[in-house]
């Protein structure tokens, strides 16, 4: 005898998934605790912090847009400078609030949108300066949590992220695809302007 299949059984995995998603966990304002150790906490911190993640993506986009040589330099320079900046940051006390991320958004966004062909030396200085600065701020944030292991996680994630994104942009051939990358740069610059406006408004309130 053939048994009929009730469609209500299909609701069971859906209800289970919703229950898992709605299960409350401890909230963290700045540091991400994954429960899988400090290395993964560092990776989570990078991936869930738009101020750092978008800057890393912007550096990879710009390096790829400038060509293979620049992209290869970004591949190694960005993670290395980020790591060194983090080491210095872990030795430093918290600094006064300053819109560093907003300025990075504006600078890299304008460079990408304008498709400005910086020579390799100028690109190197820009990538190292931005990476050192954001790594430094990460070091300050991480020193009371995952510390050095978290910084290693961030560095590894940066290496993979910059490699994939810069290689993708270098491989783009249709002219419209480069325009699409430049449009992304325009959005990054626009977000930087908004962040600066919020910072100024917050200080004037």
């Amino acid at each position: 005898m053939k048994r009929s299949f009730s469609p209500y059984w299909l609701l069971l995995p859906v209800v289970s998934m919703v229950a898992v998603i709605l299960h409350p966990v401890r909230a963290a304002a700045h540091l991400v605790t994954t429960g899988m150790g400090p290395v993964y906490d560092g990776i989570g911190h990078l991936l869930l912090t738009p101020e750092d993640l978008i800057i890393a993506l912007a550096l990879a986009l710009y390096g790829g847009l400038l060509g293979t040589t620049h992209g290869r330099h970004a591949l190694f320079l960005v993670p290395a400078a980020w790591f060194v900046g983090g080491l210095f940051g872990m030795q430093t006390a918290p600094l006064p609030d300053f819109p560093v991320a907003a300025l990075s958004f504006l600078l890299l966004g304008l460079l990408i949108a304008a498709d400005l062909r910086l020579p390799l030396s100028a690109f190197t200085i820009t990538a190292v300066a931005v990476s050192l600065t954001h790594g430094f701020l990460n070091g300050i944030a991480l020193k009371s949590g995952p510390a050095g292991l978290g910084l290693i996680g961030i560095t590894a994630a940066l290496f993979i992220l910059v490699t994939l994104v810069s290689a993708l942009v270098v491989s783009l051939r249709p002219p419209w695809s480069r325009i699409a990358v430049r449009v992304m740069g325009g959005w990054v610059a626009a977000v930087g302007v908004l962040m600066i406006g919020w910072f100024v408004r917050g200080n004037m309130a």
Side-chain angles (χ1 to χ4, degrees), residues 125-153:
I125 293 171
T126 303
V128 169
V130 172
S131 301
L132 274 174
T133 303
H134 284 262
F136 181 80
L137 296 176
N138 278 183
I140 294 175
L142 294 175
K143 67 178 181 180
S144 59
L149 290 176
L151 197 57
I152 291 174

Side-chain angles (χ1 to χ4, degrees), residues 13-201:
V14 176
V15 172
S16 302
M17 186 175 66
V18 171
V20 170
I21 293 174
L22 295 180
H23 179 70
V25 295
R26 187 170 63 88
H30 300 290
L31 294 178
V32 175
T33 303
T34 63
M36 295 186 291
V39 174
Y40 287 95
D41 289 349
I43 295 173
H45 179 75
L46 173 68
L47 297 181
L48 296 177
T49 307
E51 295 92 337
D52 294 328
L53 179 62
I54 294 177
I55 289 302
L57 290 173
L59 285 168
L61 287 173
Y62 189 48
L65 202 61
L66 292 178
T68 305
T69 304
H70 292 70
R72 286 176 182 160
H73 274 68
L75 165 66
F76 295 105
L77 286 174
V78 171
W82 208 291
F83 182 77
V84 172
L87 292 179
F88 282 111
M90 284 192 290
Q91 312 300 323
T92 308
L95 300 176
D97 195 17
F98 191 76
V100 173
L103 295 176
S104 299
F105 270 65
L106 187 59
L107 171 65
L108 293 176
L110 289 176
L111 288 173
I112 296 171
D115 196 10
L116 190 62
R117 314 297 296 178
L118 285 183
L120 185 58
S121 57
F123 170 76
T124 299
I125 293 171
T126 303
V128 169
V130 172
S131 301
L132 274 174
T133 303
H134 284 262
F136 181 80
L137 296 176
N138 278 183
I140 294 175
L142 294 175
K143 67 178 181 180
S144 59
L149 290 176
L151 197 57
I152 291 174
I154 290 177
T155 305
L158 278 172
F159 182 78
I160 295 171
L161 194 67
V162 174
T163 300
L164 293 177
V165 175
S166 60
L168 174 65
V169 177
V170 167
S171 70
L172 296 176
R173 290 293 177 266
W176 63 263
S177 58
R178 292 183 62 87
I179 295 175
V181 174
R182 295 177 63 183
V183 170
M184 292 181 199
W187 291 343
V188 172
V191 172
V193 172
L194 285 174
M195 292 170 71
I196 292 173
W198 290 331
F199 177 81
V200 172
R201 180 182 174 85

